[in-house]
């Protein structure tokens, strides 16, 4: 694999009890912007959860900036931002409270970037609402604002445009365009197709496992 690879995955396999999802996934991605695409039930979200360390694969190795997920899980996860937009774990706290807790988790946290994302996504009116009161789009925008501001070496974003209004989609495209040239971070986006106006540095297309 190339020395410039930030994320290396070799022979990844993951199966739920009822079905296999990922089989023999290998990749070597540099910093920048990557797209995981595929139809429904092809394993896009599952792959992000495995890369985040939330799910344990049955086979394969994952290495992020030289840190192996299998043998150094805590050091690996410390480099990763992942928040499942479908999870109810944050429902009882406000968006502002959640964002306020992130700087302690991420050493490269960028407060100025967060302020820009709050403005760009028009989030100010929603910051003092609990997550359960947020719309699908507002919830995703809060999570993305935190993820992009985290400075995490690996930032995982699932289905970013679900519920987003057009101005927010336009802002998202601008943020992703900047991420594409960041030499210190890899942003991985899972979506069923490529977003218009985004130049993806790396891509992976998933198909249903047989």
């Amino acid at each position: 694999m190339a020395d410039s690879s930030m994320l290396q995955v070799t022979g990844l396999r993951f199966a739920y009890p009822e079905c296999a999802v990922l089989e023999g996934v290998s990749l070597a991605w540099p910093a920048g912007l990557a797209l995981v695409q595929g139809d429904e039930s092809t394993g896009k979200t599952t792959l992000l959860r495995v890369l985040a360390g939330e799910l344990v694969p049955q086979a394969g190795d994952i290495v992020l900036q030289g840190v192996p997920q299998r043998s150094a899980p805590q050091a690996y996860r410390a480099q990763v931002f992942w928040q499942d937009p479908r999870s109810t774990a944050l429902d009882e706290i406000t968006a502002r409270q959640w964002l306020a807790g992130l700087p302690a988790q991420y050493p490269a946290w960028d407060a100025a970037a967060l302020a820009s994302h709050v403005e760009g996504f028009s989030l100010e009116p929603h910051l003092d609402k609990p997550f359960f009161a947020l719309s699908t789009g507002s919830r995703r925008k809060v999570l993305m604002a935190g993820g992009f501001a985290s400075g995490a070496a690996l930032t995982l974003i699932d289905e970013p445009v679900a519920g987003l209004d057009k101005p927010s989609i336009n802002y998202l495209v601008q943020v992703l365009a900047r991420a594409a040239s960041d030499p210190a971070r890899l942003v991985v986006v899972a979506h069923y197709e490529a977003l218009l106006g985004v130049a993806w540095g790396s891509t992976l297309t998933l198909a249903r496992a047989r």
Side-chain angles (χ1 to χ4, degrees), residues 27-192:
L27 56 88
W29 285 346
L33 188 61
L35 171 68
V36 177
Q37 63 182 351
D39 294 334
E40 291 296 319
S41 302
T42 54
K44 300 186 299 296
T45 299
T46 297
L47 178 59
L48 295 194
R49 294 178 68 192
V50 171
L51 293 178
E54 189 175 276
L55 295 175
V56 179
Q58 284 83 19
D61 294 301
I62 305 172
V63 180
L64 175 61
Q65 293 197 124
V67 179
Q69 187 193 76
R70 189 180 299 278
S71 60
Q74 289 185 323
Y76 176 94
R77 289 175 189 168
Q79 302 184 80
V80 180
F81 175 91
W82 162 248
Q83 190 69 51
D84 190 340
R86 301 168 187 81
S87 171
T88 59
L90 302 177
D91 275 5
E92 300 305 318
I93 66 171
T94 67
R96 192 183 303 276
Q97 288 171 325
W98 177 70
L99 290 167
L102 294 182
Q105 299 178 47
Y106 298 100
W109 176 261
D110 189 335
L114 177 63
S116 295
H117 299 324
V118 167
E119 180 179 357
F121 283 131
S122 301
L123 283 174
E124 189 61 45
H126 306 290
L127 292 181
D128 292 308
K129 297 178 183 178
F131 270 87
F132 74 81
L134 294 175
S135 67
T136 296
S138 293
R139 176 185 287 258
R140 274 177 161 77
K141 289 190 287 186
V142 171
L143 298 180
M144 287 192 291
F148 291 132
S150 71
L154 177 61
T155 300
L156 305 167
I157 306 292
D158 195 21
E159 296 295 349
V161 301
L164 264 63
D165 54 277
K166 186 64 180 295
S168 293
I169 293 175
N170 291 339
Y171 179 72
L172 172 63
V173 169
Q174 295 174 28
V175 175
L176 293 176
R178 292 196 293 270
S181 59
D182 191 330
R185 300 180 67 185
L186 172 60
V187 175
V188 179
V189 175
H191 193 47
Y192 63 91

